[in-house]
Structure formats: C-alpha cells, structure tokens
Amino acid sequence: MDLEMVLNELSLQTPVSDQQTARQLMSNLIGTIRKATASGVKRVLRTSEDINTIELAPGYPVARWRNDKEVNREERSFFRTLTSKAPFWTDVAEEIKNDFDLSQVWHQGKEARGLGFAVIIDALVVSLISETCWDCSRLDLEMRRLDENEDLIDERLEIVHASRSNHVQEHAEWIKNRIRTAVLDGSELWNRRKELFPNLEFCENVGKQIQSLSIGNPMLRQVVKRLFELEDYSKSWTSGSFNPNNPVKLST
C-alpha cells in the first residue's frame, strides 16, 4: 500500500485572525507537502469531505482561498490536484471501524477521526500550523479499540507528522523504509515474507489469511505494521518466554 498523506482536520478548526496570515499558513503547508512528494510520498492528500467550507480566517473558507488571485496560482493548482485525486477518508471511516473495531482516537482530549484513519493506513499526517501544538514532527495520540476478544483496549501512540519542510526531512529514513516495505496485496506480502520478516516463521493457515487480503483493503497496511512490530521484537528476544504485552513503539 502506497505511503499517503492525511490532512489533520483538527489543524483546520482554529481560524487565524486575517486572510494574509491564512495565505502564509497555506503556503507553508504546500511547501511541506511538496517536500513530502519529492521524497517519494504519493501525490494525493486525503481530507474530510467538507474541507472547502472550513474557514481559514473569518469569512475566508478553503474554497475562497482556492479562488483567491492573490494566492500563487501554482500553489492553488497543486493543492486542487492533490485533494481531487484522493477519496475522502470519511468515505471509508466505517469500513475501517468494521475491519479493526476501531472505536475512537484523541489528540489532547479532542476526538480526531482523520488521525485515526492515518493510524490505520500508516500515513504521513500533515497539518496547518494554526496553533503551536501542530508545530512538531510527531503527535501523541490515545486510541481505544476492541481487540480480537472484544475487550476494550486503551493505547497511547506516537505517529509521524509534518507541518514544516524540515519535519519531512527529519522523517526521511522512515519515509524511505515505509515505501520500501509497501506491498500491493496479500499475495505480494506473502511472497516477500522472508525478505521483510527474516526472524518470523509463518504457519500455513496464516499464509492463507494473508494472501486473502486484496488490493485497497485497509487491513493490509495494519497487518504489515503489526508484523514489523513482531519482527522488531523477535530481533531482541534472546531468552525467556514470549511476552505479547511487551510495549512496541508505533510509527517510528
């Protein structure tokens, strides 16, 4: 599954004071996205479906910014191309919830559905620096989900994030590895298992389950992500019994 970008909808919930500041913030966001695509990230940006009505400044929604002649034409065209190529993450939110029993994701106490979607597909989150909390290269999240036994599990996650070009540069190695480990479907994942997971052994039944994952299934990236966590754990597991509760740092 390609490495995609997801726009953090929470960063659009705090309008700035004036249109000029909004233009500057959007220009910075475009620069961040351009840096990411130059690094190999797929040239699409997943957003919520109502993004055009969101106000960047009082009386200045995204739709007006996209038609503002005071904004660089190339920036407007670039942003329009990015957002028109990708399906809305809201279109697949229910599918993700069904597949992973994902209940809720929060950032600093605020529910963040877009960030939850980014966790599932292991995407690069990008934000508008509308508040100082978005001026960072990683975000701490809280997630509550149902496990395979239908028990509620609370987790704390750290995900990669970018709101400046230098944040993208900081994640250069992660982006490179994420792209290297991308697979089209379950069959490719199974065929590359020895290359990607040299410390793991797979039973026949697991092979059938993996190979059943089709193109576009959001569960595919989640399976890959969990397998790499097991691979990393196995590298350092030299003695004693296997501890499934050993903490694993996500999206690093």
Side-chain angles (χ1 to χ4, degrees), residues 25-185:
L25 291 182
M26 286 297 291
S27 182
N28 178 75
L29 176 64
I30 296 300
T32 302
I33 294 172
R34 278 180 166 161
K35 179 68 174 180
T37 57
S39 301
V41 179
K42 191 173 182 179
R43 200 171 164 132
V44 295
L45 179 66
R46 290 190 183 255
T47 66
S48 61
E49 58 186 349
D50 59 350
I51 183 175
N52 287 314
T53 63
I54 294 176
E55 289 196 338
L56 299 170
Y60 191 68
V62 172
R64 185 174 172 187
W65 173 87
R66 291 174 58 171
N67 295 291
D68 188 347
K69 294 184 178 180
E70 293 189 39
V71 176
N72 182 280
R73 179 182 295 179
E74 290 185 4
E75 291 186 352
R76 289 185 285 137
S77 177
F78 182 70
F79 188 79
R80 186 179 295 110
T81 300
L82 287 170
T83 55
S84 64
K85 287 184 177 180
F88 301 126
W89 55 256
T90 49
D91 290 340
V92 291
E94 190 60 34
E95 179 182 0
I96 289 172
K97 189 174 182 180
N98 290 337
D99 283 340
F100 304 103
D101 291 322
L102 181 62
S103 180
Q104 285 179 292
V105 169
W106 298 271
H107 175 266
Q108 295 185 0
K110 293 183 178 179
E111 186 174 6
R113 295 177 65 212
L115 296 181
F117 176 76
V119 169
I120 298 305
I121 68 169
D122 203 12
L124 173 64
V125 176
V126 295
S127 294
L128 199 71
I129 311 180
S130 55
E131 297 181 86
T132 56
C133 64
W134 308 127
D135 192 3
C136 58
S137 62
R138 296 178 183 275
L139 295 177
D140 292 322
L141 306 178
E142 296 177 358
M143 182 170 76
R144 177 171 295 166
R145 63 180 178 84
L146 290 173
D147 66 9
E148 59 275 10
N149 298 317
E150 297 190 354
D151 294 324
L152 274 177
I153 303 296
D154 290 321
E155 297 178 285
R156 299 186 67 87
L157 312 176
E158 182 185 73
I159 62 172
V160 294
H161 169 257
S163 56
R164 296 183 184 274
S165 297
N166 62 295
H167 295 158
V168 177
Q169 184 60 41
E170 181 180 331
H171 298 312
E173 191 63 26
W174 178 83
I175 291 173
K176 179 181 177 181
N177 289 335
R178 173 64 176 77
I179 293 173
R180 178 183 63 82
T181 60
V183 291
L184 183 64
D185 56 21

